[in-house]
Amino acid sequence: MAQGRRYWLMKSEPRVFSIEDLARSPKQTTCWDGVRNYQARNFMRAMAAGDRVLFYHSNAEPPAVVGVAEVVRTTYPDATQFDKTSHHYDPGSVPSAPRWDMVDIQYRQTFKTSLSLDRLRQESKLKGMVLLQKGSRLSVQPVTEAEWAVVLKLAGAK
DNA sequence: GCCAACGTTGGC
DNA sequence: GCCAACGTTGGC
């Protein structure tokens, strides 16, 4: 395989949608709707099927990377942007030129031990992670191959 | 195009 | 619940 797989991190509040919810979803797959940040959207547009995703629980106790998912469908329009009843409705977006996209991701594994923010911060090799940068709020962000390897090793996972 | 006001994110 | 950091909006 000449094309290298890419790695990402996606945040979700477990009270809204947790990795357990993903594992219980039909086909263990969900569409990642509701992203309303251009940078995050652009990262989703760069995703390819087979890319790996760290699943992160934000607003959790503790906030932590809890497992792995995989991109199984590349970007397509997020239907909630046109749905007036949706919390994610965007009156400025028109169907002929959808502003917001989503991807589908499928469950892969839950770490036996989740990796809290604190734990990740202790790892000098991870100090460049987007997640750990001051003020970082991006809900979809890139992870380098080296960071990916360190995180999976810390989790005792493959 | 500047920038103040406002809304959101997310750790604490 | 607080609030720092950040993104977006809109008046000018």
Side-chain angles (χ1 to χ4, degrees):
Chain A
M1 184 156 51
Q3 185 82 11
R5 172 189 283 150
R6 291 190 194 172
Y7 302 94
W8 310 94
L9 180 146
M10 295 168 99
K11 297 180 181 174
S12 186
E13 300 193 28
R15 276 167 294 197
V16 178
F17 190 83
S18 70
I19 196 165
E20 292 81 11
D21 293 324
L22 176 61
R24 279 194 298 263
S25 296
K27 299 182 184 171
Q28 298 192 308
T29 299
T30 189
C31 57
W32 205 259
D33 62 13
V35 170
R36 295 293 181 270
N37 170 283
Y38 289 105
Q39 237 185 314
R41 180 206 66 184
N42 291 343
F43 284 132
M44 286 203 295
R45 287 184 174 175
M47 290 179 180
D51 283 2
R52 295 295 158 95
V53 177
L54 292 175
F55 200 104
Y56 178 83
H57 281 173
S58 60
N59 265 315
E61 189 50 51
V65 175
V66 293
V68 173
E70 181 175 327
V71 177
V72 292
R73 181 175 175 187
T74 52
T75 42
Y76 59 107
D78 177 345
T80 64
Q81 69 195 303
F82 306 122
D83 177 1
K84 287 184 176 150
T85 68
S86 170
H87 195 242
H88 299 297
Y89 176 61
D90 181 356
S93 184
V94 292
S96 58
R99 181 178 287 174
W100 305 112
D101 285 354
M102 59 188 180
V103 296
D104 287 357
I105 64 168
Q106 185 172 48
Y107 177 79
R108 279 295 171 271
Q109 63 171 309
T110 301
F111 294 151
K112 287 199 183 72
T113 311
S114 49
L115 298 171
S116 69
L117 255 194
D118 279 349
R119 178 71 190 88
L120 297 173
R121 286 209 174 96
Q122 288 168 21
E123 205 60 33
S124 60
K125 286 178 185 162
L126 295 179
K127 64 175 191 285
M129 265 189 100
V130 175
L131 180 71
L132 304 182
Q133 304 315 300
K134 185 176 167 65
S136 170
R137 299 188 315 180
L138 263 185
S139 62
V140 178
Q141 49 182 262
V143 171
T144 68
E145 189 168 7
E147 289 161 356
W148 179 271
V150 171
V151 169
L152 263 76
K153 189 174 178 187
L154 286 179
K158 289 180 250 175

